[in-house]
Amino acid sequence: MQLTFQTPIEYLKGVGPKKAVLLQEELQIYNLADLIQHYPFRYEDRTCFHNIADVREDLPYVQLKGVIQSPKIITTGKKRLVATLKDETGVISLVWFQKINGILKQLRPGILYQLFGKPTVYNSCYTIVHPEMEIFTAQTTQEKTLIPVYHTTEKLKASYIDSKYIRRVQANLIEQFPIHLPETLPEDLCAQYKIIDKKTALANIHFPATPEILQKARFRLKFEELFYVQLRLLQARQLRLEKQIGAAYKDTKLLQDFYQNVIPFELTGAQKRVVKEIYADLKSGKQMNRLLQGDVGSGKTMVAFLSMLIVLGSGAQVAMMAPTEILVEQHYKKLQEFAAPLSLQIGILTGSTKTSERRKILDELAQGTLQIIVGTHSLINENVVFKNLGLAVIDEQHRFGVMQRAKFWQRDDVQPVPHVLIMSATPIPRTLAMTLYGDLDVSVVDEMPAGRKPIKTVHYYDAQRLRVFRFVKDQISLGRQVYVVYPLIEESEKMDYKNLIDGYESICRAFPEVPLSIVHGRMKASDKDYEMQRFVKGETKIMVATTVIEVGVNVPNASVMVIENADRFGLSQLHQLRGRVGRGQDQAYCILMTDYKLNKKSRERIKALVHTNNGFEIADMDLRLRGPGDLMGVQQSGLLELKIADVARDGHILQIAREAAKEIIKKDPMLIQPSHYTIKNQLATSNDNSWGNIG
Ligand code: ADP
Ligand code: MG
């Protein structure tokens, strides 16, 4: 039978129908393409031998060479076979609990063995339990080099589908490769980036002949994966730019008016640059799709408002969408403040807008009398019709999916499509932005408004709480306000609410004369708003809250943030929270409270926050510590379908792949040149089909 990559695995030598079902169920391996892409997650180095004297418990595995001595079966305690292995440097124990008699029969004392296993301590001796072993010959070492280790599951292991089994079927598959496997990257690209051919790469990712060729195989396969992701994104961007007409907004009178007469502060250099970038898009006649990145507090809202003014100045409408009601209200108030002196009409639309009010707003939007609308995703509802929507600003917080975003401009009744500006709440690591938002243009506000003092971040243990309370008291007597934040994780919601309420009560006791607010997700929206307002007005001095305050809240007089159980928050989330203070003139403080016991990763996170205020650095570290799977927005992006590349670790390959893709799309956006035939073919077929025929 001729195998192709689409052949179901049951037809591969060594698999069969029963094992095929298990491999499908447990590892989603259906066909040979799935199998060959079930790459090893590590390799065992069988190229060298350890000295027995160097064996330590923390070594993941060791390979030893020595003679077996005095094997015997022990019946006291758990029945077992024991022996020792001796080389020139020392001895180590060996133990077997299963198939004892058979193994004893085969063991040949005094003969040189080659042996492999994980060292542990058993009966206070270094021991290898159930070692893999064979009689040493010069030939066996020559064959064995880097041995691939594959992920399996407990269920698979119970059916003898372990790493060794997968190794065997991979070997069967690779043996049946034809001499020429179809190449899936163009020749000149392979030459330019010194990329090895596909067949060599696949054979060596599973069975590396040398560590050097393994490196090359990895590079090739990661590059290919990232290259096609980038090529798709960049081609989509290019085609959109070519096709998508946008209204051209050139009039800057309104912007100038605001800039010269109203704006309450001097723009930072970065804000000016980014507004220029956006203006260039808005007047170009092509639809803008731009991501606005910047650290917490860098002034993205002002940039968004100035962009709005360009569009409003030409008589079109603008919309701003945010993920939560609190954030929508915050934006609404801020924009209202900016817009009032210019007599612009501004409205708000959320899930809790009353029916009569909603009707009025929808009416005014359709008439065009309402110029600015701020809202939750209610805004992308079918019955919201604009007279002339020119710009949609989306404050994303990673929470809107790509599809939701597109709804603003993929409606048939909206032509030309509005320009789109997406604001990200926290900085996104470069590598991730390139992939999550790779089809967009990116502007970065990489400068903080002048006069901001960096926030002082410190770490205290729960046992030092009295000291923290004294500090809080001093700050309040200086006229400042304070946030105390508690984690709220869905899985442990009940406990978390209890902690919040307990914490609130202990703060009440510690500060009997200080007016407090409490805000959490179980309160009615109107109560939440009332408490927020009291804090904003300075009527209350301490705000005890769950992470509902995480996004956007702006109280310049609040200069201290105490974060309880700080180890339970993610790094970027902590940075985002911390950004709620340090918005005024006063020195701001962020106090991270934890238990004395902390695991290594939590300790690293806390240390990182104490060490830096730079959101981009923190985002990079977050990506490295957690991996992309845990970052918001990644789930629906398809990033996790990558088989071998890892955006957290392979940033440099991603960079090269993106550059390569860019160069090709620039020269040949439709990929019609003959030398791009391979690429075009690859893009046209789905991922699975792209693997072509084996024979
Ligand atoms: P973010 O980028 O986190 O959304 P905001 O837009 O909320 O930041 O801005 C934070 C605070 O800084 C706001 O109070 C805003 O009015 C103020 N701000 C913005 N730009 C400047 C500037 N150039 N100079 C001084 N203050 C500014
Ligand atoms: Mg903001």
Side-chain angles (χ1 to χ4, degrees), residues 429-492:
R430 260 182 72 76
T431 53
L432 207 56
M434 268 190 242
T435 315
L436 284 180
Y437 298 94
D439 56 337
L440 308 183
D441 296 307
V442 180
S443 289
V444 185
V445 188
D446 49 6
E447 188 183 342
M448 286 291 180
R452 290 263 174 86
K453 297 192 186 92
I455 301 165
K456 280 196 180 134
T457 302
V458 288
H459 176 203
Y460 279 109
Y461 296 115
D462 293 338
Q464 299 167 295
R465 176 160 286 107
L466 280 181
R467 241 176 105 180
V468 174
F469 277 180
R470 269 203 302 279
F471 176 76
V472 166
K473 204 167 258 172
D474 290 346
Q475 290 292 309
I476 291 173
S477 67
L478 289 171
R480 318 272 190 268
Q481 288 168 282
V482 178
Y483 294 106
V484 181
V485 182
Y486 284 82
L488 182 87
I489 317 289
E490 256 167 61
E491 299 92 71
S492 46

Side-chain angles (χ1 to χ4, degrees), residues 295-301 327 331 395 397 423-425 551-553 576 580 583:
D295 208 343
V296 193
S298 60
K300 295 185 290 287
T301 315
L327 192 54
H331 280 316
D395 192 354
Q397 327 284 348
M423 297 199 286
S424 79
V551 282
V553 179
Q576 176 76 13
R580 298 303 108 210
R583 306 192 145 228

Side-chain angles (χ1 to χ4, degrees), residues 328-338 529 533:
V328 165
E329 277 161 37
Q330 194 85 29
H331 280 316
Y332 173 69
K333 279 174 196 138
K334 193 96 209 171
L335 294 178
Q336 203 176 29
E337 196 183 295
F338 294 149
D529 195 46
Q533 285 315 315

Side-chain angles (χ1 to χ4, degrees), residues 71 176 222 641:
Q176 295 190 47
K222 289 177 177 189
E641 283 154 33

